[in-house]
Amino acid sequence: MKTLLQIDSSLGQARSHLVKKLVVDAAPKAGLTLVESAADAELVVVVGNLTPDAALNGKRVFYGDAALAAGAPQDFLARAKTEASLYQAPAESAPATALAASGPKRIVAITACPTGVAHTYMAAEAIDGEAKKRGWWVKVETRGSVGAGNAITDEEVRQADLVIVAADIEVDLSKFAGKPMYRTSTGLALKKTAQELDKALVEAKVYQPAAQEGNNESGQEKKTSPGPYRHLLTGVSYMLPMVVAGGLCIALSFIFGIHAFEQPGTLASALMQIGGKSAFALMVPVLAGFIAFSIADRPGLTPGLVGGMLAVSTGAGFIGGIIAGFLAGYVAKLISTKLPLPQSMAALKPILIIPLIASLVTGLVMIYVVGTPVAKLLTALTDWLQSMGTANAILLGAILGAMMCSDMGGPINKAAYAFGVALLSTQTYAPMAAIMAAGMVPPLGIAVATLLARNKFDKPEREAGKAAFVLGLCFISEGAIPFAARDPFRVIPLSMISGAVTGALSMFFGAKLMAPHGGMFVLLIPGAITPVVGYLIAIAAGTLLLGVMYSVLKRPDAELAKALA
């Protein structure tokens, strides 16, 4: 009898492989021939709490316990042959129809952004507020920089009518298997919350983890498949704490003198070893490893880390690490999905075959193809940045500053930020200073405007201005998003002009920043920002410029309402 074996991935990798091997070995004795496709199967054996997909409709399906399958595989298969029953798949549109037709909902949500700071929590607050406004029960789990907050329990998942995932990076969603799910970005969840919740009711599809779907790839899966940008942001999100910690340790070592770390056995030398020789040394491998992890899951991690280390050793740096991460991830994914193996060898695939072959391919390409050309390119870029004249430096600062203020946490903002972080690995610190200074301007400037023109802002906006001021001090540009969403044609252009001025002034003063995050609070670390006075002048100039311009050009809410009426 042709039989398809499906094992619940939540059993864990080791246990899943052990159960699979035991069942596969016992299948011939039970008169069963294992097949890979649901279309060919006469019997489907499911181990664990796996929810079958529509491809098994009309098939004889047996659900069994993993402990029985491991302890007595022949008895397990004998029961499967006699106790299997016909599976009837629910109509695909049923979840969406039921959600749209029923009353108050119970929803759970996940939010996650690359840095795990601003968008993660602001999107969570927006979803929570909009759901409660509709009279729904809601719980939002934040996957922030400090891990999962307000964690959703298994019982809450079971009771939920809908799962909303607002994530810009890859997150583990296995606990939501079988639940109607709608996926979006943190930006849309924050700026268009009501519209996204309405779309969630109509467009939610039953979620099945990739490992459980076999060869069944629906249009919804292809639609939501993450692209290169999300993979890159996933790598950056894991790398960022390494850069912050390393940069601040280097800054602390400079307290004792710029060259004090050269003296062995001193505290300055120890701090430099922690920051520059350890944390910064791991920066590119971690970036490459988690780009690959985002693409191919765990099998991609090893070749990604190896490729990242080779990017460092060949001098290819940050750019080489990005190339290595994507190369390792897609090679690992290709082997995982396209290399057919006998059932007896399938267990070796994720722990031996994929890491070995993907590491070899990635390593050889990095050594013989990518390493040298990219290293020369990076050296040329670094030399140009370090030797450019004042005019070019001011122009670069203005461009980076305007980019930081264009979409306040969006793709353009992230591109400028990633450029600055990349240069930190080459000991080029001035662009990062301009980037962080400009990124603080939109929320700080808006806060100043709410003080200069109080009569033009209603009470909620004035309160939001206070919150924006605090967020601006923390280098969280997203604090200005509520104002930009309400009045984009004034807030965004004025912010870009002011950010460009701040970025240009930062480069003019020769400001250097050792850490890529922290805002004004980095000033508490001696040596993290130099020169401090010039840097503060740059920020103050952009902040006051935006505050004054927006307070003058801002139309009172009453006039705006009349214009829109």
Side-chain angles (χ1 to χ4, degrees), residues 39-393:
D40 300 331
E42 301 169 276
L43 171 66
V44 180
V45 178
V46 178
V47 181
N49 299 318
L50 188 61
T51 303
D53 55 35
L56 303 185
N57 192 33
K59 300 286 184 181
R60 294 179 64 237
V61 179
F62 172 74
Y63 303 89
D65 182 64
L68 177 62
Q74 286 189 324
D75 293 342
F76 176 81
L77 292 177
R79 285 184 57 185
K81 293 170 67 175
T82 58
E83 299 179 16
S85 58
L86 286 177
Y87 171 69
Q88 185 66 40
E92 185 177 345
S93 61
T97 304
L99 283 169
S102 60
K105 314 294 186 299
R106 290 182 64 89
I107 68 169
V108 292
I110 296 285
T111 60
C113 71
T115 58
V117 180
H119 271 76
T120 298
Y121 299 99
M122 295 174 73
E125 185 178 348
I127 293 171
D128 184 83
E130 179 63 28
K132 288 179 177 176
K133 190 188 301 182
R134 300 181 181 205
W136 298 357
W137 182 93
V138 59
K139 184 171 183 180
V140 186
E141 178 179 314
T142 53
R143 303 282 179 89
S145 57
V146 294
N150 197 32
I152 298 167
T153 66
D154 292 340
E155 181 62 27
E156 289 165 339
V157 172
R158 280 193 292 270
Q159 294 178 358
D161 300 313
L162 172 66
V163 179
I164 296 176
V165 178
D168 303 319
I169 60 174
E170 285 303 290
V171 293
D172 180 17
L173 302 174
S174 58
K175 66 182 178 182
F176 302 115
K179 303 297 294 187
M181 178 182 289
Y182 175 74
R183 302 190 70 165
T184 184
S185 66
T186 55
L188 288 174
L190 175 59
K191 299 173 186 176
K192 299 181 178 181
T193 315
Q195 296 93 317
E196 288 301 295
L197 290 190
D198 291 338
K199 288 174 65 177
L201 294 176
V202 178
E203 299 180 11
K205 300 292 182 182
V206 174
Y207 171 70
Q208 295 294 350
Q212 300 177 12
E213 289 174 354
N215 297 324
N216 182 35
E217 295 185 8
S218 67
Q220 173 71 7
E221 293 304 317
K222 292 177 183 177
K223 178 182 174 183
T224 60
S225 177
Y229 179 67
R230 179 172 288 185
H231 299 316
L232 176 61
L233 291 186
T234 300
V236 170
S237 70
Y238 282 97
M239 175 200 69
L240 194 57
M242 200 80 63
V243 183
V244 173
L248 291 177
C249 285
I250 293 172
L252 287 172
S253 75
F254 291 159
I255 295 175
F256 305 96
I258 296 298
H259 300 288
F261 68 90
E262 297 174 0
Q263 186 66 33
T266 61
L267 180 57
S269 176
L271 289 169
M272 180 59 72
Q273 187 172 356
I274 294 169
K277 297 181 180 179
S278 298
F280 265 36
L282 288 171
M283 183 177 76
V284 173
V286 168
L287 170 70
F290 281 96
I291 289 175
F293 176 83
S294 177
I295 296 169
D297 211 341
R298 291 183 184 178
L301 187 57
T302 296
L305 290 169
V306 170
M309 285 297 296
L310 287 170
V312 174
S313 63
T314 58
F318 191 89
I319 299 173
I322 293 174
I323 295 171
F326 281 105
L327 176 63
Y330 285 117
V331 169
K333 187 174 183 179
L334 181 67
I335 298 170
S336 178
T337 56
K338 302 298 183 183
L339 179 64
L341 291 174
Q343 289 281 352
S344 58
M345 295 184 64
L348 296 176
K349 208 172 185 181
I351 58 176
L352 174 62
I353 296 171
I354 296 176
L356 175 61
I357 297 177
S359 295
L360 283 173
V361 171
T362 304
L364 291 172
V365 170
M366 289 301 297
I367 292 171
Y368 291 110
V369 180
V370 174
T372 301
V374 174
K376 291 180 178 178
L377 174 64
L378 191 62
T379 301
L381 175 62
T382 304
D383 291 343
W384 176 75
L385 288 169
Q386 292 178 344
S387 62
M388 64 183 174
T390 303
N392 287 334

Side-chain angles (χ1 to χ4, degrees), residues 462-474:
R462 291 196 295 270
E463 293 300 318
K466 297 175 184 177
F469 183 77
V470 176
L471 293 173
L473 292 177
C474 299

